[in-house]
Amino acid sequence: QTQLLGVLLAAASNFLISVSLNIQKRAHLRLVWQAEQKPYYTSKLWWCGITLLGLGEVGNFTAYGFAPITLVAPLGCVSVIGSAFISVFFLKRTMRTADILGGTLAITGIYLLVTFTPSVPQELTARQVQNYLVSWPFLVYSILEIIIFCILLYFYKRKAVKHIVVLLMMVALLASLTVIAVKAVSSMIALSVKGEMQLTYSVFYIMSVLMATSCAFQIKFLNQAMHLYEATAVVPINFVFFTTSAIISGVIFYREFQSAALLSVFMFLFGCLLSSLGVIIIARNKKEEHLQIPFIDCGHIPGQKLTGKIQPDSHSSCYSTLNKEDDSVKRQS
């Protein structure tokens, strides 16, 4: 029953997040077309979206205290499915065949995840978390993760390699630490509320700092990826990388598949594959919405050859494409 509560909480929280994102998008679109331009934070609709987003994140945080990481993390696909269908009502988008197919695959995957996730005790005490932190599988995993992250960071900083895979792999490595810390903190708070005080242990504050720090850097690199690449590419790749890293960290740190049968492991992984495939199909070939800004017609500019319409570029400080006249064309005196 505790695990089922965690599943329902995670699913409902991710659905709230999808609703909040569509509400925020709707608020931005309303503000753009108003005669008098106002900051987005003056919109009541935008604040409504932010409130729902906060509730969704709190719900996800709480869900880690009731269900395994290997189950809560893949349920993030609910927000992608929900966003695709809710946008039809909020943003008046057209329902695509890809949305229906992707949603069906993802829902099938979720069913397999819930059915074949191993049932493990979810009440983690501070002493158990301490023992997990010094266990040799986690120490080996941590060393490997630090080495890989440092290599990626070297290419990112020194070689200026900002490929989407490099950025999102760093996000995934940080996310694995985040989910470990979130589950530990959430579980210790839940036990403390029940009367078994865990907040006096230093490991609670260590995990809290780890959670905040890894989450902050995770957001930094994710924002960098969103700035450089289309959301239709970032969302599915990030989901696959995040889910994979979260499952690996749950298996290694919390030993969530220690006593699972081989068939259960296979069906669980197959469910993850279906969910990831559903997210990729939903995001695939989805057009990015851009504001329609009419081009600026400046007419003929003496002494310059106009090679293209002058069009404001939101990604650049350049507003036109101009070439110098050939030597055969002289400036008028």
Side-chain angles (χ1 to χ4, degrees), residues 36 50 107 117 135 141 167 180 196 201 207 229 235 267 290 314 324:
E36 182 183 353
I50 286 295
I107 291 171
T117 299
S135 62
Y141 173 73
L167 290 168
I180 287 173
E196 299 179 37
Y201 292 87
M207 299 304 275
Y229 301 95
V235 170
M267 295 303 294
H290 300 284
S314 61
K324 292 185 177 181

Side-chain angles (χ1 to χ4, degrees), residues 15-30 45-46 48-49 52 82-95 289:
F15 182 76
L16 272 183
I17 290 172
S18 65
V19 173
S20 73
L21 294 176
N22 279 275
I23 289 176
Q24 290 177 68
K25 180 70 173 179
R26 180 68 177 173
H28 283 296
L29 291 175
R30 276 189 182 182
L45 188 62
W46 183 82
C48 178
L52 290 178
S83 183
F85 287 90
I86 293 169
S87 63
V88 175
F89 303 99
F90 276 92
L91 305 177
K92 308 301 180 184
R93 290 176 179 168
T94 305
M95 178 66 68
E289 290 190 358

Side-chain angles (χ1 to χ4, degrees), residues 3 49 101 114 122 137 152 167 173 193 220 271 277 290 293 296 307 314:
Q3 187 164 305
L101 176 61
V114 174
Q122 296 306 313
L152 293 172
L167 290 168
L173 292 173
V193 171
K220 169 182 163 45
L277 187 60
H290 300 284
I293 305 174
I296 304 170
T307 61
S314 61

Side-chain angles (χ1 to χ4, degrees), residues 92-120:
K92 308 301 180 184
R93 290 176 179 168
T94 305
M95 178 66 68
R96 306 175 306 154
T97 305
D99 295 331
I100 299 173
L101 176 61
T104 303
L105 287 175
I107 291 171
T108 305
I110 290 172
Y111 172 77
L112 293 176
L113 290 173
V114 174
T115 304
F116 291 99
T117 299
S119 181
V120 293

